[in-house]
Amino acid sequence: MIALLEAKRAGLFSRPHWMNNVLAGVIVGVVALPLAMAFAIASGAKPEQGLYTAIVAGGLTSMLGGSRLQIAGPTGAFIVILAGITAKYGIEGLQVATLMAGGILMLMGLTRMGGVIKYIPDPVIVGFTSGIGVIIWVGQWKDFFGLHPASGGEQFHQKLWHLLQAFPGMHLETAALAVFTLAVLLTSPRVFKRIPAPLVAMVAATVIQWLFAFEGVATIGSAFGGIPQSLPQFSLPSVTFSEVLHLMGPAFTIALLGAIESLLSAVVADGMAGTRHDSNQELVGQGVANIFSPLFGGFAATGAIARTATNIRNGATSPLAGIVHALTLVIIVLVLAPLAALIPLCALSAILFVVAWNMSELHRFHHMVKTAPRADVTVLLITFTLTVLGDLVIAVNIGVVIASLLFMKRMSEAVIVEQQAHEVLAREVPGRPLNLPAGTVVFAIDGPFFFGAAERLESVLESVHGHARTLVLRVGRVPFIDATGMQALGDLLDNCKRHKTRLVICEVRPNVLAKLAMAGLVEQIGQQNILAQLHDLSAGEP
C-alpha cells in the first residue's frame, strides 16, 4: 500500500504530528544539502543536479513509496556506477539510463519482486558495500589533496597508480583545508549536537576559504560556475534506439542497486521506528522517482540509509517529513544558491571520506571474516575483490551465484536418505503389527527432493536392487520435488524393473503427489504402489 495513504488512514497527518515531522524534514533537508552536491560531483554531474535529484526523487518517493519514513536522493552507493556511465555516455546518457532504470524498478514492483531481492546473502551485500567504500575513498583523493593525476585507464588499479604518481605535486593549501574539514566533521557532533556535522564542516571550510582566499583551492564556483538560483525546467532527453540498446546494461545496473539500497534502507527504518514497509510499493515509488528525476535535471536516486535514520531520530512519523525535506531544498536553491560558489571541493571530498568509511562497515567486514563459515568468507572476499578491481554488477551476480551454489550444496548435504530396520518400524504404531513382504527394504527420505539431492539418493540406493524384492520409499518428510528429482525417481523405477524389484512409495504429500501425477510417474509406478502409510503394505500383496 502507498505509505502516504497508510499514514493518512492512521491519523499521522493530524495537527499533533505536524511539528515533529516539519522539524525532522528541515533537518534532513539541511543534511542532504552538502551530501547531494558531493554525490553529484563524484558521479560526474553538476552540484545543482544533485539538489534537483534530492528534491524530485525525495518528494515523489515520500508520496508514492512503500515506507512512510524513507528519504530518497543521491547516495554514495551509486557513485561508482554513475561516474562510469557519465564518463562513457555523458550526463545525458546517465539521465536516459536513469529513466530506463525507473521503468525497470516499476516493473519489478508491479510483478512483486520486492520480496525476492531481500534474499541476497549478507556476505554479498557487505562485500560490495565495502568495495564501494574503498572506491569512493580513493576516488576522492584528487580533490582532497589537490592532485593532478595523468588521464587514461578506467580500471581501479590504473587510477590508483596515477594518483600515487601525482602525490609529489599535492596542493598543500587544499590538503590542509581538507584535513581541517575532516577534523570538524569528526568532532562537531560532540559540540553541536543538534546541527548536522556535514553542514558545520562545509560552512566552516567555506568561511575559511572566503576569508583567506587560498590560491589554487578549487571551489564550486571555479569548477562549475556556481549553482543557478532557479528550479529546473521539464526537459525530455534526446536519445536514439541504438543508444537505448547500449544503455540497457547500465539501466539494469542502476535498477538492481537502487532496489537493493532502497529496500535495505526501508528495513533499517522498520527496525528503528517499529513500522512495516511494502517492498513492492517501495519499488514502484522508487521507479516513479527515477523516471521523473532525469526529466527535471536530476539523475539516479534511491533510499538513503543515513538520511532516513536522521529523519527517524529527529521524530518523523509520516511521509510529511520527506516532503518537507524536498521543500527545504527548494527554498535553499531559490534563496542561498549564490553562496554555494564559495564551497571548496576539498570540503565535499572530506564529507565523502566519512561516507566511504561508513559504507565500508569495516567492523562488520572484520567480524564476518573472523566468525563466519569459511564458504561465506570466500563469497565475501570474492565479491569485495571483484567490486574493487572489476565491475559492481558482475561482482554482485557472481557473489549471488556462488552463495546460491553453496546453499544448494548445504541443502543437499542436509537431505537424509537412510535405511530403516524392521524392528524399529514395528514399534512406530503400537498395537498394530507390521507385516511386510519378504525381501522388503525400507528407506526414508528427509528433506527436499531436488537436483542437489538426486545423486545422493541414487548413490545410497545403488546397492539395494540386487537383493531387494520390494523397495519402499517413505517420503512423508519431502516438502517438494523438482524436475531433476522426478527424473531420478524415474531412473530408479527403471532400475527396479530391470532387477524385478517392486517400487513402493508411501506417505506422499499432496503437492508432491500432484507433481508426480503431472509427470506421469503415478501411472508408471502404479496406483497400487502409492500408499498412504507404510502399514498399508501387506505381506500378502504381489
Side-chain angles (χ1 to χ4, degrees):
M1 182 179 179
I2 298 176
L4 188 72
L5 301 178
E6 183 187 7
K8 183 179 179 182
R9 183 180 297 176
L12 295 176
F13 290 129
S14 59
R15 186 166 294 180
H17 292 277
W18 286 2
M19 187 56 69
N20 282 348
N21 285 287
V22 170
L23 286 176
V26 171
I27 291 170
V28 175
V30 172
V31 171
L33 175 65
L35 293 176
M37 291 191 292
F39 293 148
I41 293 170
S43 300
K46 295 180 179 179
E48 64 267 24
Q49 290 181 292
L51 297 176
Y52 299 157
T53 302
I55 291 168
V56 177
L60 286 173
T61 299
S62 293
M63 288 189 284
L64 300 175
S67 172
R68 68 174 68 161
L69 300 171
Q70 180 85 281
I71 300 294
T75 67
F78 269 150
I79 288 176
V80 179
I81 293 172
L82 303 190
I85 297 172
T86 305
K88 190 171 184 179
Y89 301 102
I91 190 64
E92 193 165 15
L94 172 60
Q95 290 177 321
V96 172
T98 299
L99 198 153
M100 294 165 62
I104 295 169
L105 282 166
M106 279 194 69
L107 186 62
M108 290 167 70
L110 293 172
T111 53
R112 310 193 69 78
M113 290 183 64
V116 176
I117 294 171
K118 292 179 184 177
Y119 295 108
I120 293 180
D122 225 26
V124 176
I125 293 174
V126 174
F128 83 71
T129 52
S130 298
I132 289 172
V134 171
I135 295 173
I136 292 173
W137 177 59
V138 173
Q140 292 307 304
W141 288 4
K142 176 178 176 293
D143 289 334
F144 189 93
F145 296 106
L147 305 178
H148 299 282
S151 59
E154 296 183 359
Q155 299 300 318
F156 174 81
H157 68 279
Q158 295 171 319
K159 294 177 180 178
L160 177 61
W161 178 243
H162 290 322
L163 286 167
L164 292 173
Q165 287 179 315
F167 258 99
M170 178 177 62
H171 190 261
L172 294 178
E173 290 87 349
T174 298
L177 187 57
V179 171
F180 167 77
T181 307
L182 189 59
V184 173
L185 272 168
L186 298 177
T187 58
S188 67
R190 302 171 200 164
V191 181
F192 306 101
K193 299 186 185 297
R194 300 291 296 176
I195 305 176
L199 180 67
V200 174
M202 185 184 72
V203 170
T206 303
V207 169
I208 289 178
Q209 176 60 23
W210 175 68
L211 288 174
F212 295 97
F214 296 118
E215 189 176 346
V217 174
T219 63
I220 286 180
S222 64
F224 300 98
I227 293 177
Q229 197 172 3
S230 62
L231 296 178
Q233 300 296 315
F234 177 85
S235 176
L236 282 171
S238 60
V239 62
T240 64
F241 182 70
S242 61
E243 288 174 330
V244 169
L245 293 179
H246 283 116
L247 289 168
M248 192 65 72
F252 270 103
T253 303
I254 293 172
L256 176 63
L257 186 55
I260 295 170
E261 184 88 357
S262 64
L263 295 182
L264 280 176
S265 181
V267 170
V268 169
D270 288 347
M272 292 181 68
T275 56
R276 186 175 182 180
H277 74 281
D278 184 328
S279 299
N280 298 307
Q281 184 59 45
E282 181 62 24
L283 293 182
V284 171
Q286 294 290 344
V288 173
N290 279 280
I291 289 173
F292 280 90
S293 176
L295 298 179
F296 287 93
F299 52 88
T302 186
I305 296 176
R307 274 159 278 168
T308 299
T310 302
N311 189 39
I312 296 169
R313 289 193 194 105
N314 284 280
T317 58
S318 76
L320 177 62
I323 297 170
V324 170
H325 137 267
L327 294 175
T328 301
L329 290 172
V330 169
I331 295 170
I332 291 173
V333 169
L334 294 177
V335 177
L336 302 176
L339 299 178
L342 301 172
I343 299 172
L345 297 185
C346 62
L348 298 180
S349 291
I351 292 172
L352 288 181
F353 266 33
V354 176
V355 170
W357 171 260
N358 292 333
M359 282 195 65
S360 66
E361 295 187 289
L362 187 60
H363 63 286
R364 193 175 174 195
F365 189 99
H366 180 256
H367 179 74
M368 192 170 288
V369 169
K370 283 184 64 177
T371 62
R374 188 171 300 176
D376 290 329
V377 174
T378 301
V379 173
L380 171 72
L381 296 177
I382 288 174
T383 307
F384 173 79
T385 304
L386 288 175
T387 299
V388 174
L389 300 180
D391 178 85
L392 176 64
V393 176
I394 292 175
V396 173
N397 288 341
I398 291 179
V400 169
V401 168
I402 294 174
S404 301
L405 291 173
L406 289 171
F407 171 75
M408 287 183 282
K409 179 177 180 293
R410 290 166 180 164
M411 283 291 291
S412 65
E413 291 172 349
V415 176
I416 299 173
V417 182
E418 63 177 358
Q419 186 172 354
Q420 297 184 309
H422 286 214
E423 296 80 13
V424 176
L425 294 171
R427 293 194 294 268
E428 279 192 4
V429 183
R432 185 176 177 185
L434 180 67
N435 188 20
L436 297 179
T440 299
V441 178
V442 180
F443 276 84
I445 304 175
D446 189 348
F449 197 179
F450 71 118
F451 61 89
E455 187 179 350
R456 185 177 179 84
L457 175 70
E458 291 172 359
S459 61
V460 170
L461 298 181
E462 211 167 55
S463 60
V464 174
H465 304 303
H467 64 273
R469 292 176 59 186
T470 302
L471 174 60
V472 180
L473 293 183
R474 303 182 73 187
V475 293
R477 293 192 177 185
V478 175
F480 69 86
I481 185 169
D482 70 356
T484 309
M486 289 188 285
Q487 179 63 46
L489 197 57
D491 293 341
L492 176 63
L493 178 61
D494 292 338
N495 287 335
C496 286
K497 287 179 178 177
R498 279 197 298 271
H499 291 89
K500 300 189 183 327
T501 300
R502 179 189 177 193
L503 177 63
V504 176
I505 299 177
C506 62
E507 303 161 7
V508 192
R509 295 190 181 190
N511 63 311
V512 176
L513 184 62
K515 289 191 176 183
L516 295 180
M518 190 180 299
L521 285 171
V522 170
E523 184 179 350
Q524 294 176 40
I525 296 171
Q527 192 68 53
Q528 72 279 9
N529 293 320
I530 298 179
L531 307 177
Q533 53 185 336
L534 180 63
H535 282 69
D536 292 341
L537 182 62
S538 170
E541 293 181 3

